[in-house]
Amino acid sequence: LMPTIYKFEQAAVRLEGASLIGHVNEFELPEVNWESADHETVGLLGTLQYPTKVEAMEATLTWADYSPELAAAAANPFQGVNLQVRGAFGVYDGPNKVRDALGRVTMQGRFMGNPLGSFSSGEYERESVLMIDYVKEEFDGTAYLEFSVNPPILRYNGGQNLFAGIRDILGV
């Protein structure tokens, strides 16, 4: 039995629902890294570590050319933006392509800083960094990760919000 292969074929970036096709060279997605705290008690023969909170998440967008839409969004660090990266993946069963699948990462965040780029002979380079407050990863119709700083949301594999109990206890 041949394994199923999901081959990346193409991607598109959307800002507030508008396509940025032709304006983005690269979009580096955020990393979801957990800080942890040690737990030591009498009777344990070691130290346990439990996750406590997610470190600040950043995404990096490399411009392909000048985009008035991106420039307007990057100019205001106090205005949140909605971003989405959509990837087309070919689904192969052995040597045969059987269908296409959608990989999607949806984010909410703010542009932090506004480097205006650099000009050189025949070239324009610009890169923007965003602080990400919300991220949702979906592939082929299944949500694998959803995390939000405020309101606190944590879902894995489309399950229930693991922070729902904490929200109920705190009354938020």
Side-chain angles (χ1 to χ4, degrees):
L1 185 65
M2 297 291 292
T4 301
I5 303 295
Y6 300 94
K7 183 183 177 307
F8 172 72
E9 294 178 346
Q10 192 56 265
V13 178
R14 300 183 83 75
L15 172 68
E16 300 299 341
S19 174
L20 294 176
I21 287 180
H23 297 296
V24 176
N25 273 342
E26 181 179 8
F27 195 103
E28 186 178 323
L29 297 168
E31 293 183 20
V32 182
N33 293 319
W34 286 88
E35 292 182 11
S36 62
D38 290 347
H39 180 77
E40 296 181 62
T41 65
V42 174
L44 290 178
L45 298 177
T47 302
L48 297 171
Q49 286 193 332
Y50 292 108
T52 57
K53 62 182 176 180
V54 169
E55 297 173 356
M57 296 182 291
E58 289 185 357
T60 304
L61 187 146
T62 305
W63 302 38
D65 65 355
Y66 190 82
S67 164
E69 297 84 5
L70 277 173
N76 186 354
F78 300 102
Q79 179 65 45
V81 296
N82 295 299
L83 290 155
Q84 190 176 84
V85 178
R86 299 170 66 94
F89 291 81
V91 181
Y92 289 82
D93 186 9
N96 305 312
K97 181 176 180 178
V98 294
R99 63 185 179 88
D100 293 305
L102 169 65
R104 175 174 42 211
V105 177
T106 303
M107 295 156 282
Q108 295 172 348
R110 294 166 314 289
F111 283 88
M112 300 304 289
N114 191 10
L116 300 178
S118 63
F119 293 91
S120 60
S121 180
E123 215 174 282
Y124 173 70
E125 294 181 9
R126 188 168 180 175
E127 188 174 272
S128 297
V129 175
L130 298 102
M131 296 305 299
I132 302 298
D133 303 317
Y134 171 87
V135 63
K136 183 176 184 179
E137 177 189 21
E138 301 169 278
F139 189 81
D140 206 17
T142 300
Y144 288 99
L145 170 68
E146 183 176 16
F147 176 78
S148 174
V149 175
N150 187 17
I153 297 171
L154 177 61
R155 288 188 179 96
Y156 291 109
N157 300 323
Q160 70 179 21
N161 181 2
L162 298 178
F163 290 158
I166 294 171
R167 293 183 68 187
D168 287 345
I169 290 168
L170 298 177
V172 294

